[in-house]
Amino acid sequence: MQTHTDEIADGIYRISTYIPEIGPTGFTFNQFFVDADEPLLFHTGMRALFPLVSAAVARIRPVEQLRWITFGHVEADECGAMNHFLAAAPQAQVAHGLLGCLVSIDDMADRPPRRLADGEVIDLGNRRVQHFDTPHAPHNWEARVLYEQTTGVLFCGDLMTQLGNGPALTDADLVEPATVAEDVFHATSLGPAVPAALHRLAQLQPTTLAIMHGSSFSGDCATALRDLATVYEDRLNEQAPSGEPTD
């Protein structure tokens, strides 16, 4: 496995490991490091990736300076190495939504996490990240995203997942590749929460979508989010009984 690091916005780095054996064309697992007064990591990767991911972080800042450990939801690829990073960074704290903490993280994390209310902001000194609950979007009831207000980067978690090993950052259409990935993995909770969350996030007018699996996106992010919402709205309507639209 090879891990690559790319700066996708000012002071925000994508750490990406491509695993060719997953899916028909391979799959990337991406973490994002915010180089701030209080450095923040979004996603830790699986425990087996800790040596690669921590080495990539160390090329930007010493790992022991890490202050915040965050992720989209509770799955191995999102937070498997959480306690490894807590051990390596004595001042680090996990921050997640209230539900995720109550259900899993209070017990799983080696130090108590910070519980965040929907819309709450963490001040990183020279950056501000805002937490948004996105239950069941794309899956898991404790799902959430983070929005970095200074750069306009939206840390999307598994939303807009793509197959393969594309460029670190692109302005090409990602809605069609995300639709293909959904047809392969069927990973999304197909319910009204998904398009509702996408429409809400589009209102932020993000400048960049930092995506867990696949390329990050620097085009018209609000339109991309709304277009993906339309894909799921159409699928919901196809499944609804005749004469009973889901909206």
Side-chain angles (χ1 to χ4, degrees), residues 67-233:
R67 178 64 182 87
W68 298 104
I69 298 168
T70 61
F71 39 88
H73 50 264
V74 181
E75 287 182 345
D77 59 342
E78 305 258 352
C79 63
M82 169 181 65
N83 286 324
H84 287 61
F85 276 103
L86 286 173
Q91 301 306 313
Q93 184 179 20
V94 174
H96 199 85
L98 174 62
L99 181 61
C101 293
L102 292 173
V103 170
S104 298
I105 303 168
D106 285 353
D107 180 71
M108 293 172 60
D110 285 345
R111 290 197 291 275
R114 174 169 167 176
R115 300 175 176 182
L116 299 172
D118 185 42
E120 187 172 345
V121 172
I122 299 177
D123 189 343
L124 306 182
N126 55 338
R127 303 292 174 104
R128 290 168 56 85
V129 292
Q130 189 170 14
H131 157 85
F132 291 101
D133 290 321
T134 59
H136 306 292
H139 45 249
N140 291 24
W141 67 338
E142 82 286 350
R144 61 81 166 261
V145 300
L146 285 182
Y147 177 64
E148 204 289 292
Q149 295 177 335
T150 306
T151 58
V153 174
L154 179 66
F155 298 96
C156 296
D158 284 345
L159 294 168
M160 208 73 74
T161 285
Q162 314 128 53
L163 302 169
N165 188 21
L169 186 65
T170 183
D171 61 0
D173 171 62
L174 291 186
V175 175
E176 178 61 26
T179 304
V180 171
E182 176 61 24
D183 290 338
V184 170
F185 292 125
H186 303 288
T188 301
S189 300
L190 191 56
V194 175
L198 290 165
H199 283 301
R200 182 190 185 196
L201 297 175
Q203 293 175 1
L204 296 170
Q205 295 289 321
T207 62
T208 305
L209 303 180
I211 298 168
M212 169 67 164
H213 303 290
S215 300
S216 293
F217 182 67
S218 61
D220 186 343
C221 297
T223 296
L225 292 167
R226 293 189 184 102
D227 287 348
L228 187 60
T230 298
V231 170
Y232 287 113
E233 288 165 346

